[in-house]
Every structure is written in C-alpha cells, then in structure tokens.
Amino acid sequence: MFRMDYEPSSMQLDDEVSRSPMPSPRAQKRPRPLKVLPSGGDEECSSQSLSQSRSAGEPSTCSKALSGRPPIPKLREIQPPMPRNPYLVRADDDSHVFQASQSCLNRGNYSRFLWDYHQEVELGHGNFSKVYRAVHRLTGVPFAIKTNRSPITTLQARNMWLNEMQALAAVQHHPHIVGLYDAWFEPDVRGDAEQAYLKLELCGDSLGGVFKRRVQLKEQEVLDMLRQIASALKRIHDLGMVHLDIKPDNIYIALESSQANNNSCAAACSSSGISTGNVYKLGDFGLAIVQGGQRAGTSEGDSKYLAPEALKSRDFLNSGLADRLDIFALGASAYELLRGSELPKNGQVYHDIRAGKIFLPGSNQRLVGLLKKMMAPDPAQRPTAEQLLRSPLLTPAGSTGGQLQPQQSPLPLSQ
C-alpha cells in the first residue's frame, strides 16, 4: 500500500503557465535605437519614415538618416491660461463664475514671469533695464515689472541688480517711494545667463515724460514735488543711504488709486505734507549706496544733475556729505522743470549752473533762493533733507498761504 501526499495548488499545467500575467523574458521586445534625421528639406521624408519604422518595428529607410544622436524636440510656445477675475472685469452676461486653470507650460522651461504674469506693454526703458506693464494671471491685478535688457552673465551685473532689490526693500514702506512687492532671478532662456525681475507698484507717467511732452509745471506743483521727494530722501538718508540718481525720469506720478490710499493714511503721511494735488513717488534705486560703502557699479548718475564735487574727486562718497549729492540733484530737477528747457550736459552754461548762477525770470524769488541753496557749490552750504522739509516754502502752510506769485509764462525752449 502506498500513500501519496500532495497539494493541488502546487501543481501547474502547461496551459496555466501560458496564462501567467508575467510575460516570458523571451517574449519581451527590446527597443531599437532611434535614427534621427537632419532638419531641412527632408522633414517630410524623415517624419514619414520614422512613423512607418515605429509602426513596423523597422529602422527608417530614408537615405539621409543618421544614428547615435537623440531626437531634438521642437518646442511649441504655449500661452498659460489667464482666468478672468469677475470682481475686476464683468462679463457681458454678468456671470460670476471662476474659470478653471489647467497647467499647459513645460515645467522644464519654467519661467515665473511668463507663467504668472501676462505682459501687456512696455512702459519705458533705460540703458540697462526695461519696464513692462504686466497683469497677474490669477488675480488680474496690474504691476510694473522691471527687468534687464541684456542677459546677466557676470557677477558684477548680478550684484548691481541685487543691490537695487535690497536697497528698495530697505526703504519700504514710504508714501513717496515706489512700492516693491517681490524680486527674483531666473535662468535666461537665451543661454547660460540670468534675468532679474522686480515687481513694482504701477505708477503713472514720470515727470521726465511730462517734461518731454512740453507740459509746463506750475510753481505750486514743483513745490509739492520738492516737499514729497524731500520726505523720501529723509527716509533714505536716515538709513545711511544715498540715492545718486535723482532726476525727473525717476520721479513718478502716482495713480489715482495710490493717491487715495496715501491720503487715507493721514497720520503716517502728515510729516510729508501731502497736498490735495498729485502724489509723487521716487523710484529706480539702481545706483543707491551706503554712505562710504563700496559701489556695485561704476556709474555716477546723469551728468545733467551731478553735483560739482563729484567732478572734482572720486572720493566724494567718503566726505561725510554724500547725502548732499541728492539735494543738489533734486534742486537741479526742480530748476529744469521750472526753466522749461533741458539742462545742458556740458559747456560753459553747465559750469555756470554749478557755480550758483541760476536765473528764473518771472518766478518767485523765494523759490529761486531755495533752489540756489540746494545747488550751492559747497555741499556743506546745502540743507539736509530734514532742514529742507522745515523750509517755510515747503510746509503746508507756506505752500498754500497764497504767498507765491502767479505762474508766469515759461521761458522759450531755446533759452
């Protein structure tokens, strides 16, 4: 008698093996190397040959096929979605429905600026930078985005942009300084370089733009500008910083929404004496520096508004009176706006202005005297920003007390 013990589950039949979910190693297909075709006139042949070879499992039959190099994908530029904000822009049917947003950008080529913001129009540009009006894609809020014109390829160029980011961040939040909301670097899509981005408060036109349109500013408007920018300079100088680029192109007129916000902060803005007119904001801190510190760049600012001591010595930032450079430039900016014609960049008149020879026929002599003090050849004779704010002409009572004569006709542009 025999006894056989076995388990039926351990026995496998041939047909069970054939139904196993794991394929046999001999049944696996090994991928064939792709043969890449050159771009050019044979694109149609290459695409057709490659598609047929993939379907049939055979290599391409195109005579010009090359092997050994991976295919180069063709990138297609796709605009990211931009949902409408129903609280800012009403639809025709007045429906308050949020639009769904689905990612469609290749994250390998991710650009925060292109992904998060819709670039609308260029607002202006300089030698090294350009500014765009850009709308945030999710919220619909417009901002001013400042970036570099040429790719950043050196450490010095990167430090110049980093200096502006940090300087502007240090002086926040002041009612007469352009607001900084964010700043970042990202790889440049054009090569081995970087792009810098500053997300700034969106303002209106600059006084330089107003001047170029031949719009004559009244004396009261210039006094308002002097008072408000002097308040911004006091903030800057109290932190031990110097702006070094005060000029009409860097003084902006705030938009109406910003003016309403600033005027609502009466307690915070009382020291700056905001009037019922325009609100002015100082921007562009690319040349800012700590007094006596090391400069990130080599530019000394616009020569039209440069103080005379900067022409005599390269050590003017270590004199202890570096803040008076900004006072001179602010006075020169006001002088140009009242003069009605552009200040010279060189020549005899250029040196006469730096010698204290300022002429404004028909203007209030008290205002002319204030400008002469601000543009005195000796920096020690110029007022500080705090002393400037205490001037009777720049106090709210002095500027609205009717002591100024009516604005006279502007000087001809040829003078």
Side-chain angles (χ1 to χ4, degrees), residues 50 100 175 186 287:
L50 283 176
E186 65 183 42
L287 301 182

Side-chain angles (χ1 to χ4, degrees), residues 33 38 60 78 128 148 228 252 278 286 396:
S60 173
I78 302 177
F128 306 101
N148 46 291
Q228 296 177 35
Y252 301 91
N278 291 327

Side-chain angles (χ1 to χ4, degrees), residues 174-178 227-229 231-232 262 269 272-274 279-283:
H174 191 278
H176 299 300
I177 295 178
V178 174
R227 177 173 60 254
Q228 296 177 35
I229 301 304
S231 173
N262 285 329
C269 304
S272 60
I274 293 181
V279 174
Y280 302 97
K281 291 178 176 283
L282 179 63

Side-chain angles (χ1 to χ4, degrees), residues 40 49 54 61 96 99 106 128 143 155 188 202 234 239 260 263-264 278 321 336 362 371 384 386 389 402:
S49 175
R54 293 192 188 97
T61 59
H96 291 200
Q99 302 177 10
N106 185 355
F128 306 101
F143 298 94
L155 182 60
D188 189 279
L202 182 63
K234 182 179 184 302
L239 294 174
N263 286 321
S264 64
N278 291 327
L321 299 173
E336 183 177 58
L371 295 181
T384 63
E386 183 176 2
L389 286 172

Side-chain angles (χ1 to χ4, degrees), residues 17 56 86 95 132 146 236 246 273 278 315-316 344 357 364 395 401:
V17 174
S95 60
Y132 294 102
K146 181 177 181 179
I236 296 170
I246 305 293
N278 291 327
D315 198 36
F316 60 92
K357 298 179 181 179
N364 182 274
T395 59

Side-chain angles (χ1 to χ4, degrees), residues 64-139:
K64 294 184 178 180
L66 300 177
S67 61
R69 288 183 296 179
I72 302 177
K74 292 184 178 180
L75 299 180
R76 187 161 55 104
E77 184 177 356
I78 302 177
Q79 287 290 335
M82 184 176 176
R84 176 180 60 87
N85 187 338
Y87 302 108
L88 296 178
V89 180
R90 295 294 181 93
D92 295 336
D93 57 357
D94 201 25
S95 60
H96 291 200
V97 180
F98 288 100
Q99 302 177 10
S101 173
Q102 182 179 1
S103 174
C104 64
L105 190 66
N106 185 355
R107 308 297 287 191
N109 297 321
Y110 174 75
S111 169
R112 177 180 174 187
F113 173 63
L114 296 178
W115 179 256
D116 291 348
Y117 301 94
H118 173 63
Q119 177 182 318
E120 290 191 338
V121 65
E122 181 177 321
L123 299 176
H125 63 269
N127 295 330
F128 306 101
S129 63
K130 51 188 175 181
V131 182
Y132 294 102
R133 186 184 192 273
V135 177
H136 191 264
R137 294 184 184 275
L138 299 182
T139 63

